[in-house]
Amino acid sequence: MIETKDHDGVRTLKLAHGKVSAMDLELGEALIAAIARAAEPSVKAVIITGSGSSFSAGVDLFRLIKDGPDYARRFIPVLDDFLRAALTFPKPMIAAINGHAIAGGCILAAACDHRIMTEGSGRIGIPELAVGVPFPALPLQIMAARLADGPLRDLVFSGRTVQIDEAKALGLIDEKCPAGMLLDRATEVAHQLASIPDATFALTKAAFYTPILERAGALSDLNARVTAAWMQQHTYDTIRSYLERTVGKNKN
């Protein structure tokens, strides 16, 4: 589910959960645990990457409509928790985006301190509204900290995904990398950031993420309404329709 590799103080967490590392309850819990374990002193920085042609395709929509509101009620807090864990991890965290990073995959990358995407046909974006689900507060505020207001609204309301050059121009990623060199470059950046004294890095990082958490917290009432919307039958009908249009046949 998550493959772990340590080398010279850098821990690589490789998402390897199904074909596209779709986010479900189990992957979320595993990611929370993996980030917590990376707090050990021997780890100086973390790289998060994916497998195959995807970093992560985002929330497992098939699982969501199959298991319904009871599953969503358990999953949504875990989604919030693993994004919060990545965002507030006190050491450098680098997203090595090896391919498609869609919806939750894009947001997980945005929660990292530096984002590198490999050149190729991978797409990145936040099509939650096209899927038919509203944004929870924390994911939206993470994206709002990475993108200017105009581009953010365009991506949110259009639901479109973009390829690497536009992603860099918009600020979805920090840099692009030739195919085959992604982990080497991510490791180089990891060592550069890890050379900053631990406490200095952690305190400065906290200054970046604290306003994000405060803004998300201020939206708690609205977020409760968002969560309730994830439980409604019409939301599942909309997701099912989206899957039929984009994937073809709903295999669940």
Side-chain angles (χ1 to χ4, degrees):
M1 187 171 293
I2 297 179
E3 299 174 2
T4 302
K5 182 179 180 180
D6 290 344
H7 179 70
D8 196 20
V10 176
R11 176 164 294 178
T12 299
L13 302 177
K14 183 177 183 180
L15 307 180
H17 186 48
K19 292 183 178 179
V20 294
S21 292
M23 294 172 174
D24 58 14
L25 184 66
E26 292 76 20
L27 181 60
E29 290 175 341
L31 190 54
I32 292 167
I35 292 172
R37 287 192 296 269
E40 62 188 54
S42 63
V43 178
K44 303 302 181 184
V46 170
I47 296 169
I48 296 183
T49 192
S51 52
S53 62
S54 291
F55 178 76
S56 172
V59 171
D60 187 341
L61 298 175
F62 289 109
R63 174 80 178 274
L64 195 64
I65 61 174
K66 178 183 177 182
D67 291 352
D70 287 342
Y71 169 77
R73 194 171 289 108
R74 291 183 293 132
F75 171 69
I76 292 173
V78 172
L79 172 66
D80 189 272
D81 286 349
F82 77 70
L83 290 173
R84 186 181 301 265
L87 181 70
T88 62
F89 185 66
K91 305 174 187 181
M93 182 171 284
I94 295 86
I97 306 168
N98 56 296
H100 302 302
I102 307 299
C106 176
I107 298 163
L108 176 59
C112 295
D113 303 304
H114 193 83
R115 294 146 293 154
I116 309 166
M117 188 170 185
T118 189
E119 294 176 339
S121 59
R123 303 191 71 86
I124 185 170
I126 39 177
E128 277 78 356
L129 267 64
V131 172
V133 294
F135 259 98
L138 181 59
L140 186 58
Q141 292 308 311
I142 289 172
M143 296 308 305
R146 304 300 188 242
L147 297 173
D149 186 69
L152 174 64
R153 287 171 180 263
D154 171 64
L155 289 180
V156 168
F157 291 136
S158 71
R160 67 190 184 92
T161 60
V162 301
Q163 290 186 299
I164 191 167
D165 287 332
E166 186 174 1
K168 187 173 185 301
L170 289 171
L172 280 174
I173 62 172
D174 296 301
E175 60 178 288
K176 58 183 183 178
C177 178
M181 297 179 62
L182 178 64
L183 289 181
D184 288 341
R185 176 56 186 156
T187 300
E188 183 180 5
V189 173
H191 283 302
Q192 289 172 350
L193 294 179
S195 69
I196 300 170
D198 294 351
T200 299
F201 185 88
L203 286 169
T204 303
K205 182 170 179 175
F208 281 116
Y209 69 66
T210 297
I212 297 174
L213 298 178
E214 289 176 346
R215 289 193 296 270
L219 296 170
S220 59
D221 289 344
L222 178 60
N223 197 55
R225 293 161 56 196
V226 169
T227 300
W230 278 62
M231 310 299 165
Q232 301 301 313
Q233 182 59 47
H234 68 80
T235 299
Y236 296 98
D237 293 340
T238 304
I239 294 172
R240 187 175 288 106
S241 176
Y242 171 83
L243 290 172
E244 289 171 350
R245 293 195 313 272
T246 57
V247 180
K249 184 179 180 181
N250 184 339
K251 59 184 177 183
N252 287 306

